[in-house]
Amino acid sequence: MAEAYDPGNIFAKILRGEIPSQRVYEDDAVVAFMDVMPQGVGHTLVMPRAPSRNILDADPATFGPLFAVVQKIAVAVKKAFNADGVTLMQFNEPASGQTVFHLHVHVIPRFEGVPLKPHSGQMEKPEVLAENAAKIRAALGS
Ligand code: 5GP
């Protein structure tokens, strides 16, 4: 049997505003924010407000609004960083590489010949994340 959703997970705390994050977009159903250990410049996470551990226990009604924002963010990061492409990643349970158990999608701008950095690797400086978040917000607004 799958484990239950834990409302004490770090992304639930970000959703409730209990810990800070660099948000780039939010609406009634979805929040997008900067990954603190980016695998590349502009690495953004998109999560539904509705609680689920991952894709395995999510209400299917979650995916429409979630992926509409994933697309919005993919277009914005490509523009903001003049990227050549965009990688989406989404992990389900520890065996797959998931480390935070609130459903989310990774949106990562990609550049020809530039490999991804390790998953959950090095912390980025807050001022760099803030600068990148501002670029994404600007791209979303135009
Ligand atoms: P997962 O392995 O669950 O798919 O990805 C979790 C992601 O969340 C990782 O890429 C990791 O860098 C990021 N992350 C972990 N803790 C925090 C945090 O406190 N704030 C933010 N913004 N990202 C986090």
Side-chain angles (χ1 to χ4, degrees):
M1 174 134 160
E3 278 191 59
Y5 179 80
D6 173 9
N9 78 74
I10 203 144
F11 290 176
K13 289 181 181 170
I14 286 176
L15 275 171
R16 293 193 295 266
E18 292 168 10
I19 63 166
S21 66
Q22 291 285 344
R23 293 189 187 202
V24 296
Y25 175 88
E26 62 187 301
D27 61 28
D28 287 353
V30 180
V31 173
F33 59 109
M34 305 310 292
D35 193 306
V36 287
M37 290 170 270
Q39 291 186 248
V41 65
H43 183 165
T44 305
L45 300 170
V46 185
M47 65 176 163
R49 292 186 190 273
S52 71
R53 281 174 68 82
N54 52 46
I55 206 168
L56 301 172
D57 62 336
D59 181 340
T62 307
F63 302 128
L66 176 64
F67 275 84
V69 177
V70 167
Q71 183 193 34
K72 214 186 269 283
I73 297 298
V75 169
V77 296
K78 186 169 183 297
K79 181 174 173 193
F81 302 100
N82 199 22
D84 301 311
V86 180
T87 292
L88 303 183
M89 296 194 302
Q90 194 277 316
F91 303 103
N92 302 284
E93 299 300 324
S96 75
Q98 187 178 11
T99 58
V100 179
F101 299 96
H102 180 106
L103 174 62
H104 57 277
V105 178
H106 298 255
V107 181
I108 312 176
R110 299 302 302 275
F111 304 88
E112 292 295 349
V114 180
L116 286 181
K117 293 184 195 159
H119 187 58
S120 297
Q122 263 197 306
M123 288 279 263
E124 184 53 277
K125 294 187 198 77
E127 58 269 28
V128 173
L129 293 179
E131 205 174 294
N132 290 339
K135 286 183 186 165
I136 298 170
R137 276 187 226 106
L140 281 166
S142 52

